[in-house]
Amino acid sequence: MSIHSRPIHIYRWIVFLLAAGYCLHQMVLGSWSGPGGPFRYLTIWALFMSFYAASRMLALTEHRITRRHEVTAMCAAVLNVMVVFLYWRLYFTDPSLVNGSGPIIWWLEYYLHALGPALQIIDALFFGRVFRRVWRGVVPLMLIIGAYVAWSELFVQRFNEKPTGTVTSGLPYPFLNSMELPERAVFYAVNAGTALGLLIVFGLVGAVLYRVLRDRPVA
């Protein structure tokens, strides 16, 4: 099916409008109780990355651009999987590890940590078929993760007093504030490695899927 077909066009409009609506919600009604606002959280970085990827995929479908933005879609997909995995793993251990300020509204929680990522990943994997030369996504993905870590450690922690932990305070997720700096460094490194692993997995899945479909990149 061509990415210019009506079903994919409609799908991409739905993904774009949902992402745009939730981004607007965060800008207007998000958690602005501390410096950095909602952008303290990796989830919101992933949301805005998804919005940008959705806008590019829609523009490609409507012939407004020719660049395929495959790396953009790759990075958004991997970032979303990381968010979903980390959030639910910690949530099912103890909700306070990630929701220090209390429960999230259900329609916001399930979009940010389930539906939104799923919609973006479906587009990238099945419609855009972007996971062909995944090595191109390694440097951009590491830069995004490195930027978030630096933002959290150098800005968010410095200018926020909550949440508090047994070691420090201000880091966006409560559990991080109960870890020493070397422990946090290991945690960040492990998750960066996980991101690379996910990129490789997507590449392998894509290689098999696209061979089975016996199709060139949709155009």
Side-chain angles (χ1 to χ4, degrees):
M1 182 184 294
S2 168
I3 59 170
H4 306 294
S5 66
R6 185 172 179 80
I8 291 181
H9 191 194
I10 293 172
Y11 180 90
R12 287 183 166 175
W13 261 112
I14 292 171
V15 174
F16 171 75
L17 290 175
L18 281 171
Y22 278 89
C23 284
L24 182 61
H25 176 273
Q26 289 301 311
M27 293 297 293
V28 177
L29 299 173
S31 177
W32 292 97
S33 57
F39 295 98
R40 289 171 290 176
Y41 306 106
L42 183 63
T43 300
I44 305 306
W45 281 47
L47 170 63
F48 276 78
M49 187 72 186
S50 291
F51 167 69
Y52 179 66
S55 74
R56 297 305 83 202
M57 296 302 101
L58 180 59
L60 188 62
T61 288
E62 295 182 339
H63 299 280
R64 290 186 280 114
I65 60 172
T66 55
R67 182 182 170 189
R68 299 187 64 83
H69 281 275
E70 291 179 339
V71 172
T72 300
M74 284 185 209
C75 290
V78 171
L79 206 60
N80 272 296
V81 173
M82 286 184 65
V83 163
V84 170
F85 172 73
L86 288 170
Y87 180 84
W88 291 112
R89 186 186 71 176
L90 292 168
Y91 182 89
F92 287 121
T93 300
D94 182 355
S96 67
L97 293 175
V98 284
N99 295 335
S101 57
I104 304 175
I105 304 171
W106 69 269
W107 50 265
L108 182 60
E109 180 175 41
Y110 288 109
Y111 176 82
L112 293 177
H113 304 111
L115 178 61
L119 291 174
Q120 197 280 324
I121 292 166
I122 289 170
D123 192 330
L125 186 60
F126 295 100
F127 300 152
R129 300 182 190 176
V130 303
F131 297 103
R132 295 176 182 273
R133 293 173 289 173
V134 295
W135 56 266
R136 295 178 302 156
V138 172
V139 172
L141 183 60
M142 291 299 100
L143 287 175
I144 293 169
I145 293 172
Y148 179 75
V149 170
W151 162 256
S152 298
E153 292 284 338
L154 302 178
F155 179 86
V156 177
Q157 181 188 27
R158 180 178 179 182
F159 295 104
N160 285 274
E161 297 181 355
K162 295 181 179 181
T164 58
T166 58
V167 175
T168 187
S169 62
L171 287 167
Y173 296 100
F175 73 94
L176 289 174
N177 294 289
S178 295
M179 300 171 70
E180 297 284 354
L181 181 58
E183 292 180 287
R184 298 200 302 272
V186 171
F187 176 78
Y188 297 142
V190 167
N191 282 282
T194 301
L196 289 177
L198 288 169
L199 189 61
I200 292 171
V201 169
F202 271 121
L204 293 174
V205 171
V208 173
L209 178 65
Y210 306 148
R211 184 181 294 271
V212 169
L213 293 176
R214 297 180 183 277
D215 197 4
R216 295 180 180 180
V218 287

